[in-house]
Amino acid sequence: METIRRTKISDLPQCKFGDQVSVKGWVRTRRGNKQVSFIALNDGSTINNIQIVADIEKFGEDNLKPITTGACIHVIGKYVESQGKGQNGEIQATEIEIYGTADAQEYPLQKKGHSLEFLREIAHLRPRTNTFGAIFRMRHHMSYAIHKYFNDHGFFYLHTPIITASDAEGAGSMFQATTLDFNNLPRTENGKIDYSQDFFGRQTNMTVSGQLEGELGAMALGAVYTFGPTFRAENSNTPRHLAEFWMIEPEVAFYDIHDNMDLAEDFLKYLIRYALDNCKEDLAFLNEMYDKELIERLEFVLSNDFVRLTYTEGVKILEESGHKFEFPVYWGADLQSEHERYLVEKHFKRPVIMTDYPKEIKSFYMKQNEDGKTVRGMDVLFPKIGEIIGGSEREADYDKLMERIKETGMNTDPIWWYLETRKFGTAPHAGFGLGFERLMLFVTGMLNIRDVIPFPRTPKNAEF
Amino acid sequence: METIRRTKISDLPQCKFGDQVSVKGWVRTRRGNKQVSFIALNDGSTINNIQIVADIEKFGEDNLKPITTGACIHVIGKYVESQGKGQNGEIQATEIEIYGTADAQEYPLQKKGHSLEFLREIAHLRPRTNTFGAIFRMRHHMSYAIHKYFNDHGFFYLHTPIITASDAEGAGSMFQATTLDFNNLPRTENGKIDYSQDFFGRQTNMTVSGQLEGELGAMALGAVYTFGPTFRAENSNTPRHLAEFWMIEPEVAFYDIHDNMDLAEDFLKYLIRYALDNCKEDLAFLNEMYDKELIERLEFVLSNDFVRLTYTEGVKILEESGHKFEFPVYWGADLQSEHERYLVEKHFKRPVIMTDYPKEIKSFYMKQNEDGKTVRGMDVLFPKIGEIIGGSEREADYDKLMERIKETGMNTDPIWWYLETRKFGTAPHAGFGLGFERLMLFVTGMLNIRDVIPFPRTPKNAEF
């Protein structure tokens, strides 16, 4: 083969017709007639294939035979204007090298469409499909947009620990991280597991949230964010739950709940705008194939202010709606997805930020309102998704925080360091958590959270 | 207090003298005389404090008394040209609000310098010091530079799983992730632990590398990178080891080892250039306080090509050096840090990329050379740090890969999906891993890896 610098398929439109080019990629299809073979080649850089035109007499029919769906090839040829409609250019092949074949009897990704369920079982190959290529390219662009937004706004990325001896929420089931030998568990004199012999000298778990450490960062660096994996060992086999997922948690000193709401709304709109601007072709594909209202829905969110109302106001609307809900609505109830979606999709027809929830249904660290009943929590509720962000202004007063902790019966020993932030130069501050896969569901229009993360972890499934 | 939009201290230089400004932050020091108090205030946005000048008669001595080191305050005043040297501006306070005090008897970060060892014990407060403020701001900028580099070069960020049922290296000690009840471990009929009852229905661990999944991504999307936490359960209590650390792993289809070396060198130089361009003040501080050759060393790396040589050539140089090493040097030996540093610091006086190692000391997945003895591995060796990057061209040939796997005695069951990439459209590809904290040591000049990650995880330590 001649040595010409490879051009990514995404960069081909910048080539001139008549240029000699080198492309490398995987064969999506090969079809043709007795004179000529048409190979649709994709290299993952874009959803668009490039059409390779191979003269059968030139290459020999037997030499082209191994070029079946899934094979990897290197093509050198002339980039020319395409004869077919809807394509800009194609390549008239002068040389073809086969890197790797894909036995048509064995290779599972043949031309025909596959169910999303089947593709989950071959998660090692599904990124080679149009659908998952689009989703994972978008996942990249959304990740980058998150970092860019915070960097441009003066936030510092804080790597909070994965292995932890505390439980941020006082709730969530956790995975234990351990090096103890299960066949020879060390025990103390009174028969309990002797965690002093575990790797960290104590029982440790995989984090459910970086918030508590995020607050430490905010109380020093001013504005920080986390973006990392978090874990829930909940035995929930639903399209909305993962045991391992990625979360973004900004935390900002001197922010009150209103600043926090402004940040959440501006941030989400920035991300959606970024998707519309930077993922046009992938979005067009997903819109066409999976969700005809996807792009319209993204643009709708951009063009409207989010409704802001209190939990108390929200409950009143629900109570007076006359709508029959599966779960009863009353002041004090933890609102269900059906209630949230009624407000967003039926009543307001816009994203909603709900605030000031009853303290009993929210975490210990939320700022207490003067009514003695509610706290400065806030949830951002989205169409189709429900809660996409949960956050709050934090309780900055040491005595009030300790009082609430006592009410809940929490053990303060593992979070002595957290409590010290309220003793030493405490300050108003606020933050929130965005579930990255919830965002991905929203921007891709996919319905199952297993389809927006490369290698989903769910009960009984840690393959790949 | 009046309501004026808060200005971050890093943004003050953009204000005009005479402007009324509002700043919020933590008191570093307060000193003064009978007429006036000088408060050095820092809000984490920059290493620079802003000096607040408070007229004692105006505010009253008793009201200023609680404003001690560590207290958090809100100041409104006039931004004026500073009388002191080396400062651009200061604020003549008109209003001061105290958000939180810090009892001088209890607050551990008093004026005097503290040892890095002591500061590790108060990792929840150390980001409030000049040193750790600088380090963690730089950690942000380096993280962002990594994402920006790859995004600008058409790589896609791939979130590889943390919980895994395979061991990428066939080596590294791992943490087990489990929900089994240690006091009631399920057992099979023949007395073994019954992992079918664990959360994932099998034994799972915390990943040591995302490479194998990264290769899946590269063989579909072309060029990907990971940037996430990885884990080693090695009982190594040294200044170079962490049980939890962050790693960056690019993986690129159609790259050979030369492309891989070019990428590694260009990438590292980009990051160092980014630090010099974007972290000037923090670097100047670290250069002054910890390592007088830091900036010079960073600039030196930028201005020189990395030396590229084979392991065989490197061993020959070491053997002929006449230098007395603690560990003997011979062809086949796994080079020690002393050998690597001799080549980099003494012999070449430049960063070195060493390639083509004996297959016995490298991982199973590296491309085998035709000599039958060596593989296409590559390590990038840096002054002071030693190995900062390890990578390779990967073995793309299914039969050769299987042969090597058999030689090593590995179990292929958990990585059936990895092997399929060599069956279905295999392609030349290459990649490497950069230990993020190694990079951070290099760009900050710090000597202990515990000082470049916010909350280090080491044997017997999972505090915070």
Side-chain angles (χ1 to χ4, degrees), chain A residues 215-232:
Chain A
E215 288 188 48
L216 303 179
M219 301 303 275
L221 300 169
V224 300
Y225 71 105
T226 73
F227 185 176
T230 48
F231 305 86
R232 298 282 156 84

Side-chain angles (χ1 to χ4, degrees), chain A residues 237-252:
Chain A
N237 237 325
T238 84
R240 293 168 52 89
H241 288 87
L242 290 169
E244 174 179 321
F245 55 99
W246 287 66
M247 191 137 76
I248 298 103
E249 296 178 284
E251 190 74 34
V252 195

Side-chain angles (χ1 to χ4, degrees), chain A residues 283-297 384 441-442 444-447:
Chain A
L283 269 176
F285 173 83
L286 295 169
N287 194 82
E288 176 64 24
M289 299 297 285
Y290 289 96
D291 181 349
K292 297 269 196 270
E293 292 164 1
L294 173 60
I295 293 174
E296 198 183 317
R297 194 181 310 116
K384 290 198 84 174
L441 286 175
F442 189 72
T444 62
M446 302 305 287
L447 297 173

Side-chain angles (χ1 to χ4, degrees), chain A residues 15 29 37 39 90 133-134 149 194 197 224 264 270 279 386 389 405 417:
Chain A
C15 294
T29 58
S37 249
I39 302 163
E90 60 188 31
Y149 179 88
D194 183 6
Q197 295 189 41
V224 300
Y270 176 88
C279 310
I389 275 180
I405 285 175
W417 40 269

